[in-house]
Amino acid sequence: MTTVQDTLKTREDGAARAVAHALAAFHSGSAEDRERDLLAFALAAQGGDTLSPETVEKRRREADAALAAWAHRYLHNRIEELRTEAVRDHLGRLPRPPGFLRLVAAAFAGVVLAATLLAWATGHAELLVEAAERLRSLAAAVATLSAGG
């Protein structure tokens, strides 16, 4: 029996015919199986197989397995790309988190509010008046500092 490699090594005028004959052994006739048939032929050529029907079927099964594994890997990678893109898109639509100054101002407002509630709850109204005066003077000090004075 001739091997696929022997057929490909032929350097005569009939080389094209010999390759066509070897390839025809792998051709199933279905357009859907074209890639599988070509891969089976390439695997047989690489392995130096004979052109027996058993070898052709064996290489077709190997080609089916290789194509299925490739499709599985491609699908898995594509799903991962889509997930990453969806997460990026979702994170892009979220509002920006508050900055440092906004967090400091919120903490300060919380402390002032808690102190005010504590003073009111304990009945020390004079502490509230004194705190309000200090806040006014603090606001004036900040204004003069920001004005460059």
Side-chain angles (χ1 to χ4, degrees):
M1 289 202 145
T2 32
T3 66
V4 175
Q5 284 181 339
D6 292 339
T7 305
L8 293 176
K9 288 179 184 175
T10 307
R11 298 285 185 221
E12 303 169 11
D13 272 345
R17 252 185 256 123
V19 171
H21 172 71
L23 185 57
F26 289 90
H27 185 62
S28 65
S30 172
E32 296 167 350
D33 295 333
R34 182 176 182 273
E35 290 80 12
R36 182 201 61 177
D37 294 342
L38 290 174
L39 182 58
F41 175 73
L43 289 171
Q46 184 182 30
D49 295 342
T50 60
L51 294 176
S52 66
E54 297 83 25
T55 303
V56 170
E57 283 307 311
K58 176 184 160 196
R59 291 303 184 173
R60 280 184 181 157
R61 284 191 304 273
E62 286 179 27
D64 278 336
L67 288 171
W70 178 85
H72 179 73
R73 281 191 314 273
Y74 178 79
L75 180 64
H76 174 73
N77 292 342
R78 186 66 184 134
I79 288 171
E80 192 62 32
E81 289 172 9
L82 290 173
R83 282 182 181 159
T84 303
E85 185 179 322
V87 167
R88 247 188 239 127
D89 185 45
H90 175 70
L91 290 176
R93 282 188 266 130
L94 291 176
R96 291 182 52 91
F100 178 72
L101 290 177
R102 189 172 278 186
L103 289 175
V104 169
F108 180 72
V111 168
V112 168
L113 183 62
T116 304
L117 288 175
L118 184 63
W120 177 76
T122 58
H124 293 89
E126 68 277 354
L127 287 176
L128 292 174
V129 173
E130 187 177 330
E133 289 175 15
R134 286 187 182 215
L135 280 177
R136 272 190 229 113
S137 67
L138 178 65
V142 169
T144 57
L145 280 176
S146 64

